[in-house]
Amino acid sequence: AQSVTQLGSHVSVSEGALVLLRCNYSSSVPPYLFWYVQYPNQGLQLLLKYTSAATLVKGINGFEAEFKKSETSFHLTKPSAHMSDAAEYFCAVTGVSAGNMLTFGGGTRLMVKP
Amino acid sequence: GAGVSQSPSNKVTEKGKDVELRCDPISGHTALYWYRQRLGQGLEFLIYFQGNSAPDKSGLPSDRFSAERTGESVSTLTIQRTQQEDSAVYLCASSQEWTVNYGYTFGSGTRLTVV
């Protein structure tokens, strides 16, 4: 079984500041981890994914995430926030035994202040 | 098609009526998923189709919910005798193969409002 916890349902940062969105997972098998972004009135778009290769994963729009097994974490970061980053972000996990079934966290809404 | 297409994009229905939501997956994608997203909440898994295998219906919340898919084509999610708690965005996603490396491609969703 897998589960995902995203700490902070809302995160607010100033434009140009560091973005840090937290994700902790639980998985009984080696996990595969994903971050998705959802812009207003749109579907979810894949930002990046960890599938047991490099632990530091780079995605689109300057985002990256680091898989830390000892901490069961997969936090999403971006060095400098842009107004266009305002959206909802979802962390998701699956495992080999779960086929391709993703379990999603509750989401974090990122707000960027000018 | 180029992406996952869902229709209608918005649906307002009266309590007690039946609704049918449609999902057109990306051509060639063998796996298709339905999720529900209630306001301010995460994604709740509903049902999963993989090729011609029996679907995984473990996420359907009640027997008022059902879904069909013929082969690797269109899927319809039906909600009978809708209740106000059914109000949510219903998201469909498809995936190329039975492997996590491909991830999902999501549609834009159907926003269902039960009044």
Side-chain angles (χ1 to χ4, degrees), chain A residues 3 29 34 50 52 56 58 61 64-65 72 80 87 91 93-94 103:
Chain A
S3 66
V29 296
F34 302 77
Y50 166 76
S52 75
L56 181 62
K58 295 186 184 298
N61 302 336
E64 63 182 36
T72 61
S80 177
C91 183
V93 66
T94 189
T103 299

Side-chain angles (χ1 to χ4, degrees), chain A residues 31-50:
Chain A
Y32 298 106
L33 294 151
F34 302 77
W35 275 100
Y36 282 83
V37 59
Q38 185 178 34
Y39 297 104
N41 300 315
Q42 294 187 28
L44 276 73
Q45 178 183 358
L46 181 65
L47 263 183
L48 50 78
K49 59 186 178 184
Y50 166 76

